[in-house]
Amino acid sequence: MCAIAGIVKCDVRERAERSRLVRMADVQQHRGPDGAGLWLDGAVGLAHRRLAIIDVAGGHQPMTNEDDSVWIVFNGEIYNHAVLRREMQRAGHRYRTKSDTETILHLYEAYGPACVDRLQGMFAFAIWDRRQRRLLLVRDRLGIKPLYYTCTDHELLFASEIKGIVASGGLKVAFNETILPEYLANRYVAGEETFYRGVSKLLPGHLLEWSAEQGCRVRRYWHPPQDSVDLDLPLSEQAGQLRAGLERAVRSHLMSDVPLGLFLSGGLDSSGLAALMAPLMPHPVKTFAVGFAEREANELQYARLVARAIGAEHHEVVVSADQFMQALPKLIWHEDEPIAFQSSVPLFFVSRLARRHVKVVLTGEGADELFLGYDYRYRVTALNERIGRVYWKGVPRFLRRRISGSLPLLPVPIQRYASRTVLAYEPGPRGLFFDNFSVFPDSLQQSLLLEGRTLGASDPYAEGLRYWEEHRGGLLERMSYADVSTHLVELLMKQDQMSMAASLESRVPYLDHQLVEQAMLIPGGQRMRRWQTKLVLREALRPLVPEAVLTRPKMGFPVPFGSWMRGAYRSTLDEYVLSSRALDRKLFRPETVRRIVNEHLAGTRSHGDRLWLLVNLELWLRMAIDGEEPQPLERRMDRVAVSV
């Protein structure tokens, strides 16, 4: 796991600047504390920070091939590199190291950009071909590793984190306000755009080729299966095949020359990994769990249960509200954007704990999207769609609109329930699947965003709907496909950046691309049936996981942020949501912001997730746009003064 960065000048007479490259790499030092490398060749410069995992002594970068015609900087792990290495050696390539990085170089010599099709793993890399004067940027199929870039009239810049591009001095830092509706609805930006104007993310399963003659050309080289396949297999046989595929993925992800452990939440996904991992290890598995003092946000007892069952060496950390709030600004700096998910913060604390014992961890990210594991999101959508067939057919449209318009007149408890049902939405995924589970749905954004920043300027669900239409299967398969392509990518960025903030490599066996292709061909009815989520995965893991874990309800790692805002950290709202500095940015209508805060403090409505997004956005703006250093949020007991 590493950080990469680079500069390519459009004019070959110019020179890539060493000082800029050093800044771009060093600001990402947390991703690679074990070493640094730099290579300059006229108009081109590549930089690298290394977290040594494979071939600790010999895998230094930037790395070149036998005749110095191809150079690479690489972040990630190639799990099938031993097989590929033997193939390349038989073809006559001479190796200087034992690293997987060198295998990518030789594959490129043999296959050009198509080398990516041979790779199994997580990766983001840049290759400079000196003969063809071509740059190749590649990101892995699922988006496990990040890669950002910006193209100007005179140069191309890239880095593992946006802060690397900012550190180059070649970017005029500005907030990309067009993404605001999408952030408010979904917590994140799903497409190529970022919070920084002019900075793009290379999407999962995509590669970018650059040359002075043709400029930047981006194309997609992989996508998950897009058809619904009616496999006529009984559930038991399907589960057996899935377990075999997962066993292969776990075995391959244990490749390491340094100590390795596991994040164990006590949920089905990580517990299954623990059970599969234990017999493959020469010593007890080192497991790591995190919780909060609040009972409703603590599932440590399940992690302990699984740890005992596999004979693990178990470690835990409990995060207090003070620790959470004090760490938040620095972690926003690490993510280069407002933090989408509150669980990012405890993830950093458990990563820091794990780093004291190991250098690599496995984690269960990805199983929820593959196997329809989000109880509320998937089950409610399926139920609404079933009821809706009757409702939309039997009730005239004008009457449906009248019913929908009258919902705000209902008492709050009834309204809260009715607004999630078919009574509030017309047919189609935009309402039932996307808007229904957004943080700020369309109706609230209309009253929140100031004139000129309305939904008409940017559809917050455009990317999700694009993937929904791309899949040709039924409701269940489309929900999975859309979330794998959008929601999961943001979760992976959380996983990457919070673990790398602690200089820890995290690996995701559920997202081995061969296992993903296998899982997404399983019919939706075997992934979720009669409101039972993760049906086939539960059956696959049933012989391995304690019954209490198989039958427990999903917690989803709840963070009690909303209650903290009513308690010791109420003044956070005063400073970062209600202050004149925040409101003077002219993004939101002050009266709507004050109403949201008032309702939350009074307990008439719970707006914890909405306040989380508003606080995070203001903190990010102060650091990224105003240029402030991250400062810990302090506990203050004084009462927030609000008015309507």
Side-chain angles (χ1 to χ4, degrees):
M1 197 66 64
C2 307
I4 66 175
I7 301 173
V8 180
K9 300 285 188 178
C10 297
D11 189 337
V12 296
R13 295 168 296 183
E14 295 188 31
R15 294 292 180 265
E17 304 91 340
R18 174 180 293 270
S19 60
R20 293 176 70 199
L21 272 172
V22 170
R23 292 199 306 270
M24 293 172 73
D26 285 356
V27 76
Q28 304 177 87
Q29 183 176 357
H30 51 279
R31 298 186 69 90
D34 295 337
L38 201 68
W39 177 75
L40 290 139
D41 183 25
V44 180
L46 304 178
H48 188 261
R49 294 287 323 194
R50 188 179 187 211
L51 182 67
I53 305 294
I54 302 297
D55 190 11
V56 174
H60 304 289
Q61 301 182 45
M63 186 180 290
T64 187
N65 64 339
E66 299 98 323
D67 62 4
D68 293 346
S69 63
V70 180
W71 286 81
I72 187 172
V73 282
F74 164 59
N75 169 31
E77 305 290 353
I78 306 302
Y79 302 122
N80 64 335
H81 87 95
V83 173
L84 295 172
R85 179 189 182 97
R86 291 192 291 271
E87 178 185 328
M88 291 295 98
Q89 288 174 325
R90 286 195 298 269
H93 293 278
R94 300 188 310 276
Y95 275 75
R96 302 169 181 170
T97 74
K98 298 178 181 178
S99 73
D100 50 353
T101 307
E102 190 172 4
T103 292
I104 302 175
L105 275 172
H106 296 319
L107 279 171
Y108 176 81
E109 291 180 279
Y111 300 104
C115 67
V116 66
D117 298 328
R118 307 292 304 280
L119 302 177
Q120 176 195 355
M122 54 182 188
F123 47 84
F125 61 81
I127 288 179
W128 176 251
D129 188 322
R130 296 179 73 190
R131 290 197 182 101
Q132 300 190 43
R133 296 203 61 78
R134 176 176 66 185
L135 178 74
L136 177 68
L137 298 180
V138 179
R139 189 175 178 195
D140 66 63
R141 297 167 179 83
L142 278 302
I144 304 168
K145 295 292 101 189
L147 189 55
Y148 300 90
Y149 68 95
T150 185
C151 290
T152 69
D153 292 337
H154 64 282
E155 65 183 5
L156 182 149
L157 306 169
F158 67 86
S160 295
E161 297 183 3
I162 296 175
K163 62 179 64 65
I165 294 175
V166 172
S168 74
L171 175 74
K172 183 179 179 181
V173 175
F175 177 33
N176 179 15
E177 296 179 2
T178 61
I179 58 86
L180 193 56
E182 186 175 3
Y183 167 68
L184 293 172
N186 305 326
R187 304 172 182 265
Y188 54 83
V189 181
E192 295 178 336
E193 291 191 82
T194 69
F195 281 77
Y196 288 81
R197 191 181 304 159
V199 177
S200 300
K201 64 172 80 81
L202 188 62
L203 291 178
H206 284 66
L207 59 80
L208 179 152
E209 294 181 85
W210 178 93
S211 66
E213 297 76 24
Q214 297 184 312
C216 289
R217 294 170 295 154
V218 178
R219 66 177 176 86
R220 188 175 183 180
Y221 68 86
W222 181 88
H223 52 71
Q226 295 172 293
D227 288 304
S228 177
V229 179
D230 186 15
L231 299 175
D232 188 21
L233 293 176
L235 180 62
S236 59
E237 186 173 344
Q238 197 76 263
Q241 292 183 4
L242 176 61
R243 184 167 60 251
L246 185 54
E247 287 171 349
R248 287 192 296 271
V250 169
R251 187 182 298 275
S252 70
H253 281 60
L254 296 180
M255 176 193 78
S256 179
D257 294 337
V258 297
L260 182 148
L262 170 74
F263 283 163
L264 181 60
S265 70
L268 177 67
D269 311 332
S270 63
S271 299
L273 294 183
L276 291 169
M277 185 178 175
L280 301 174
M281 299 288 285
H283 49 70
V285 178
K286 292 180 172 66
T287 57
F288 306 93
V290 60
F292 291 100
E294 290 84 352
R295 182 180 179 87
E296 70 276 8
N298 192 314
E299 52 183 350
L300 290 175
Q301 71 271 25
Y302 290 104
R304 294 167 192 157
L305 172 66
V306 176
R308 286 194 300 269
I310 67 165
E313 179 188 315
H314 188 59
H315 306 269
E316 295 178 353
V317 60
V318 175
V319 181
S320 69
D322 289 346
Q323 290 172 313
F324 183 103
M325 297 301 289
Q326 289 169 18
L328 179 59
K330 183 64 174 178
L331 297 182
I332 293 173
W333 178 86
H334 273 288
E335 285 216 5
D336 285 321
E337 60 186 29
I339 294 178
F341 303 102
Q342 296 164 18
S343 55
S344 291
V345 180
L347 176 57
F348 165 73
F349 281 94
V350 75
S351 296
R352 192 170 64 176
L353 168 67
R355 188 62 178 86
R356 299 182 194 135
H357 303 270
V358 299
K359 213 170 184 178
V360 179
V361 292
L362 271 59
T363 178
E365 213 73 79
D368 283 317
E369 291 78 12
L370 286 176
F371 300 105
L372 298 167
Y374 295 122
D375 291 10
Y376 190 61
R377 180 177 173 88
Y378 297 139
R379 290 197 299 186
V380 168
T381 303
L383 179 61
N384 274 331
E385 196 265 347
R386 179 174 295 184
I387 296 173
R389 295 176 202 160
V390 177
Y391 177 71
W392 296 318
K393 184 178 180 180
V395 180
R397 188 173 185 181
F398 80 91
L399 186 54
R400 297 201 305 264
R401 288 184 172 180
R402 185 174 299 178
I403 292 171
S404 176
S406 67
L407 294 183
L409 304 177
L410 296 172
V412 170
I414 300 175
Q415 180 195 140
R416 189 179 301 129
Y417 171 78
S419 65
R420 295 285 193 187
T421 70
V422 294
L423 299 178
Y425 294 103
E426 288 297 295
R430 192 184 199 285
L432 284 184
F433 185 62
F434 293 103
D435 196 56
N436 197 11
F437 299 97
S438 66
V439 183
F440 286 89
D442 285 356
S443 57
L444 186 52
Q445 287 204 35
Q446 295 289 358
S447 64
L448 176 69
L449 293 169
L450 278 171
E451 192 73 25
R453 307 186 193 282
T454 59
L455 289 170
S458 175
D459 182 358
Y461 311 121
E463 282 295 303
L465 286 166
R466 179 169 71 85
Y467 288 112
W468 184 282
E469 295 302 324
E470 192 173 271
H471 198 279
R472 294 179 286 271
L475 174 72
L476 299 180
E477 292 86 359
R478 288 184 183 222
M479 288 193 294
S480 174
Y481 187 87
D483 274 355
V484 164
S485 304
T486 56
H487 183 265
L488 175 60
V489 179
E490 181 63 28
L491 285 174
L492 291 171
M493 289 304 91
K494 172 197 78 172
Q495 186 71 49
D496 172 85
Q497 289 163 330
M498 291 300 95
S499 60
M500 291 309 300
S503 302
L504 179 77
E505 175 175 293
S506 60
R507 301 179 179 178
V508 282
Y510 284 105
L511 297 182
D512 175 275
H513 81 272
Q514 294 174 339
L515 182 65
V516 169
E517 291 173 345
Q518 176 185 352
M520 296 192 75
L521 289 176
I522 297 174
Q526 289 192 342
R527 289 186 257 171
M528 188 177 83
R529 182 188 299 170
R530 300 189 187 96
W531 323 123
Q532 174 66 72
T533 60
K534 294 182 182 174
L535 179 64
V536 67
L537 182 61
R538 290 179 199 278
E539 291 303 310
L541 298 177
R542 187 172 297 280
L544 307 174
V545 174
E547 185 67 22
V549 172
L550 284 169
T551 57
R552 60 167 294 203
K554 183 177 180 62
M555 285 185 66
F557 211 108
V559 177
F561 181 81
S563 63
W564 294 343
M565 292 301 99
R566 295 190 182 104
Y569 282 91
R570 292 192 308 187
S571 55
T572 299
L573 303 179
D574 201 24
E575 174 62 28
Y576 297 102
V577 178
L578 297 170
S579 68
S580 58
R581 182 177 177 184
L583 295 175
D584 285 349
R585 296 190 189 276
K586 307 299 182 185
L587 299 174
F588 308 122
R589 289 189 173 94
E591 63 274 15
T592 303
V593 173
R594 294 189 184 106
R595 175 175 61 80
I596 289 172
V597 173
N598 264 330
E599 290 177 349
H600 186 78
L601 293 179
T604 57
R605 289 178 181 268
S606 179
H607 293 294
D609 282 351
R610 291 167 184 149
L611 295 173
W612 168 260
L613 294 190
L614 297 179
V615 168
N616 266 260
L617 178 62
E618 178 62 20
L619 281 167
W620 177 81
L621 287 167
R622 293 188 186 190
M623 289 183 283
I625 306 303
D626 300 347
E628 294 183 1
E629 292 295 317
Q631 299 295 327
L633 302 184
E634 299 297 332
R635 170 194 288 262
R636 293 205 306 271
M637 296 300 294
D638 48 299
R639 186 171 183 80
V640 181
V642 296
S643 58
V644 179

